[in-house]
Amino acid sequence: MEHVAEAVEDADSLLFMHVRGVNTFISDSGVMRYHMVAEEWDILNGTGGSATTWNFYKGLLMERYDENFHIDLYVQSDTAYLHEQHLWELRGRVTVRNVKGDVFRTEELFWDLNKHEMWSYQYIRIVTPERELEGTEFHSNEQMTKYFVNNSIGVFPITEKDNEQEQDSVATSEDQPANSSK
């Protein structure tokens, strides 16, 4: 009896495409929407006619453009996966910068292109010009402008002007008599 290995039947175990040194633009309806840079890009076929999976094992840098070709979202991660052409899974050192310049750092981030939302259940740190915020269980819109952070702590600087207003209100209340009668 001969020892023969079984034939490979599952298409998901075979690479459909392997590319090194990726620097590409992706358009939607003829309009440039994304710029992607990656050291390696693997595409795996899905089984039974299901959608493909894109793997970026050595990192991904992606910029998203608005209708005026300005960068409105910057995404960088150590490893990235695009499942079924609509769900990004970003892992490792994930950094996202939105159009306002707010910077989000976490170890894991999911981005659903169909629902237009992002989320993470890992620790996240958000740095804006006004404050710093840390927490877990992060949910956001796709633009990363409206977000919710659970179990949060933060640093909110107080300017001297805010401090002066607080002292003025205290001084005003001290000038009032405690018990005034008519």
Side-chain angles (χ1 to χ4, degrees), residues 2-172:
E2 284 186 50
H3 297 285
V4 179
E6 293 183 26
V8 176
E9 294 180 16
D10 292 335
D12 66 342
S13 65
L14 299 174
L15 282 178
F16 174 73
M17 182 179 84
H18 175 77
V19 180
R20 291 184 182 169
V22 178
N23 187 355
T24 188
F25 291 92
I26 298 175
S27 64
D28 180 16
S29 303
V31 178
M32 185 177 60
R33 294 294 297 159
Y34 299 95
H35 176 219
M36 289 185 352
V37 178
E39 190 173 329
E40 289 186 6
W41 178 14
D42 293 339
I43 297 181
L44 299 169
N45 280 332
T47 58
S50 66
T52 59
T53 299
W54 295 2
N55 297 326
F56 300 89
Y57 295 118
K58 294 190 176 183
L60 174 69
L61 171 86
M62 182 171 40
E63 296 170 332
R64 186 179 68 189
Y65 298 101
D66 64 10
E67 59 277 350
N68 297 319
F69 304 111
H70 296 112
I71 298 171
D72 70 350
L73 195 67
Y74 167 91
V75 178
Q76 184 176 9
S77 70
D78 288 343
T79 306
Y81 308 94
L82 178 60
H83 304 286
E84 300 178 3
Q85 297 297 309
H86 74 89
L87 179 63
W88 279 102
E89 179 183 347
L90 307 166
R91 296 196 173 269
R93 292 172 296 188
V94 180
T95 302
V96 178
R97 187 177 64 234
N98 67 12
V99 69
K100 297 191 297 186
D102 301 343
V103 177
F104 302 78
R105 295 187 200 294
T106 185
E107 292 293 316
E108 175 185 76
L109 184 69
F110 295 94
W111 177 8
D112 192 323
L113 299 173
N114 290 342
K115 294 180 181 177
H116 306 288
E117 63 184 17
M118 295 184 178
W119 68 90
S120 176
Y121 298 104
Q122 300 293 321
Y123 167 82
I124 189 164
R125 179 179 171 88
I126 304 167
V127 178
T128 72
E130 301 86 29
R131 65 178 180 251
E132 294 181 17
L133 184 63
E134 299 175 11
T136 58
E137 197 173 338
F138 169 81
H139 292 276
S140 173
N141 63 350
E142 192 172 45
Q143 292 75 27
M144 301 284 275
T145 54
K146 296 178 183 175
Y147 50 86
F148 168 81
V149 178
N150 200 8
N151 301 321
S152 60
I153 59 170
V155 176
F156 303 88
I158 297 176
T159 62
E160 287 187 29
K161 183 177 180 180
D162 294 339
N163 196 18
E164 288 174 7
Q165 289 174 348
E166 187 177 302
Q167 289 176 354
D168 289 344
S169 64
V170 171
T172 306

